[in-house]
Amino acid sequence: DEEEDYMSDLFLKQDVRPGLPMVRRVKEAIQKEEKQKEANEKNRQKSIKEEEKERRDLVLKSALGNENKGFALLQKMGYKSGQALGKSGEGIVEPIPLNIKTGRSGLGHEELKKRKAEEKLENYRQKLHMKKQANEQAADQFRVRFKNKQEERKMEGDLRKSQRACQQLDMQKDIDVPKETWYWLEPEEEDKKDEEDKEDECTSSDLSVSEKLHILTAYLRGEHFYCIWCGTTYEDSEDLSSNCPGDSAADHD
């Protein structure tokens, strides 16, 4: 080869941007590698299965000729190539495709795999259903606990209201000491050092809020003819029984 003329148009028109030779070398290497892969693929000796598949596909793609005895019998009965089977032409046009088994699994293996997959899906659905039921049950329990807590708070408020009313009504009748210590609201700064007060405190603590409310309500109605939910002091027991709906908050709702 003749040396290039550094003053020629071919040399001056060359792209000499930085990094361009490296890009060209990379592209050339990639193209060379692809060509090598194609050559190796062509020269690679095909396996027996691949050769059988190619021959089978080639035979299946080619139409039947007159040398085929079955096709020759069809032609004698009036069949033409491309025509559907059947007296009125409602049958199939293409032959039934072959289903070649290539794996080593025995008969019924696919059905077993399908059944196992269905069982796995059913188990997954059951787990989702059980999880949903557990979440719903937890939500119901939370609502019940929340409702009970609200009712307990309401009863505590009614008890304090009853204790306050009991103290006022008892003092109006010049009763200086409550029938039970918990009938009145306890002073915040009261010093409890007396053993009897401690015993009364232990006795009263054995009662629940609802039990205390029921007992104190009966005392207010029987002693003072007073209903905390009506907020009214009646004249006598007859007036109370005839005008008051009942002795509980549910009766007044």
Side-chain angles (χ1 to χ4, degrees):
D1 297 336
E2 295 182 0
E3 293 184 0
E4 295 184 359
D5 185 2
Y6 292 100
M7 298 301 294
S8 64
D9 292 339
L10 181 61
F11 185 81
L12 293 175
K13 288 180 181 179
Q14 290 181 356
D15 196 344
V16 292
R17 287 177 293 178
L20 192 62
M22 178 63 70
V23 174
R24 286 177 178 171
R25 284 197 294 270
V26 171
K27 288 184 177 179
E28 290 175 356
I30 293 174
Q31 292 176 355
K32 184 177 180 181
E33 184 178 357
E34 290 178 352
K35 290 180 180 179
Q36 185 65 33
K37 286 182 179 179
E38 291 178 358
N40 293 339
E41 188 67 24
K42 290 180 180 179
N43 296 330
R44 184 178 66 87
Q45 185 176 3
K46 296 179 181 179
S47 63
I48 297 176
K49 289 185 177 180
E50 289 177 341
E51 291 179 354
E52 289 179 351
K53 185 176 183 303
E54 289 182 357
R55 289 196 299 268
R56 183 170 60 248
D57 293 340
L58 181 61
V59 172
L60 292 175
K61 288 179 181 178
S62 59
L64 295 176
N66 294 330
E67 69 279 0
N68 186 277
K69 295 182 179 180
F71 186 72
L73 290 173
L74 288 174
Q75 284 183 324
K76 289 181 179 180
M77 291 186 288
Y79 175 78
K80 296 180 180 179
S81 181
Q83 181 181 355
L85 297 177
K87 185 176 180 181
S88 55
E90 72 279 2
I92 60 174
V93 178
E94 298 293 333
I96 299 175
L98 293 177
N99 186 10
I100 307 299
K101 182 175 176 58
T102 57
R104 295 184 177 182
S105 57
L107 295 175
H109 181 70
E110 294 298 327
E111 292 295 330
L112 179 62
K113 286 176 61 178
K114 183 179 179 181
R115 187 168 65 254
K116 286 185 176 181
E118 290 176 352
E119 291 176 356
K120 187 176 180 180
L121 179 61
E122 183 64 24
N123 292 335
Y124 177 72
R125 289 175 178 172
Q126 289 181 358
K127 287 181 179 179
L128 286 181
H129 182 66
M130 293 175 63
K131 186 177 180 181
K132 183 180 178 181
Q133 284 184 335
N135 292 336
E136 291 177 353
Q137 187 177 3
D140 292 339
Q141 292 176 354
F142 173 78
R143 284 192 290 267
V144 170
R145 289 195 301 269
F146 183 75
K147 183 179 179 181
N148 293 338
K149 199 170 188 66
Q150 282 186 322
E151 292 177 352
E152 186 177 354
R153 288 179 179 176
K154 187 176 183 302
M155 282 192 294
E156 290 175 353
D158 291 340
L159 179 61
R160 288 193 296 269
K161 184 179 177 181
S162 300
Q163 289 172 329
R164 192 178 298 109
C166 181
Q167 184 174 2
Q168 293 176 358
L169 293 171
D170 283 350
M171 293 179 69
Q172 288 176 6
K173 287 188 174 184
D174 297 330
I175 300 175
D176 298 331
V177 180
K179 186 176 180 180
E180 298 287 345
T181 55
W182 56 269
Y183 274 29
W184 291 5
L185 286 174
E186 298 179 2
E188 295 180 0
E189 298 180 357
E190 184 178 359
D191 189 14
K192 295 184 178 180
K193 295 182 180 180
D194 193 0
E195 293 182 359
E196 294 181 0
D197 293 341
K198 290 183 179 179
E199 290 178 0
D200 292 340
E201 183 181 358
C202 293
T203 303
S204 64
S205 63
D206 293 337
L207 298 174
S208 64
V209 175
S210 61
E211 290 173 340
K212 288 182 179 180
L213 180 60
H214 180 71
I215 294 171
L216 191 53
T217 300
Y219 173 78
L220 290 173
R221 292 172 67 87
E223 184 70 24
H224 300 290
F225 311 115
Y226 179 77
C227 177
I228 63 168
W229 294 287
C230 296
T232 305
T233 302
Y234 294 92
E235 295 181 359
D236 50 27
S237 59
E238 185 178 352
D239 185 24
L240 176 66
S241 60
S242 60
N243 294 317
C244 181
D247 59 351
S248 66
D251 296 330
H252 290 75
D253 290 342

